[in-house]
Amino acid sequence: MNNPSENNPLFKQPSAGIPLVMSLAALTLILGYVAVFGIVHNQEEGIPARLFQLIMVAQLPVAAYFAFKWLPKRPTQALVVLALQAVGWIIPILTVLWFESL
């Protein structure tokens, strides 16, 4: 008998959405900081930079859990979700790099 969770789209799984929400939180943190303080080039990193780093690193175990759980069961859908998670992870990093280059 099929598990009901296996008939639902993988996007409804918490382990699929949590990394995307965390990426959005990191991007919001960056944009909010720049909106309030402007683009500041400091040698020492402050609390916002540390929070950004923690949010970005904390996504990895959640994405890994999703991959280990769903890739063997539903590889096509899992790869789509993992690709979106990867894009979501890269966008805040590219935003930081872009602001640093200004």
Side-chain angles (χ1 to χ4, degrees):
M1 182 162 194
N2 283 344
N3 185 351
S5 67
E6 291 188 18
N7 294 328
N8 291 334
L10 290 184
F11 287 106
K12 292 186 177 183
Q13 298 298 319
S15 58
I18 289 172
L20 295 172
V21 171
M22 292 174 78
S23 290
L24 183 61
L27 184 61
T28 303
L29 178 69
I30 296 165
L31 297 176
Y33 184 84
V34 170
V36 172
F37 299 107
I39 299 172
V40 180
H41 298 283
N42 288 336
Q43 291 294 68
E44 56 182 80
E45 297 176 343
I47 292 174
R50 296 290 183 207
L51 285 173
F52 173 80
Q53 293 165 356
L54 286 172
I55 291 170
M56 296 304 289
V57 170
Q59 293 178 56
L60 298 177
V62 181
Y65 169 78
F66 177 86
F68 285 123
K69 181 173 181 178
W70 291 107
L71 270 175
K73 295 177 185 177
R74 295 165 68 182
T76 304
Q77 286 184 337
L79 284 173
V80 170
V81 171
L82 288 170
L84 287 174
Q85 289 176 348
V87 168
W89 197 77
I90 290 170
I91 289 172
I93 293 172
L94 290 177
T95 304
V96 168
L97 293 174
W98 184 69
F99 280 132
E100 286 178 350
S101 70
L102 297 178

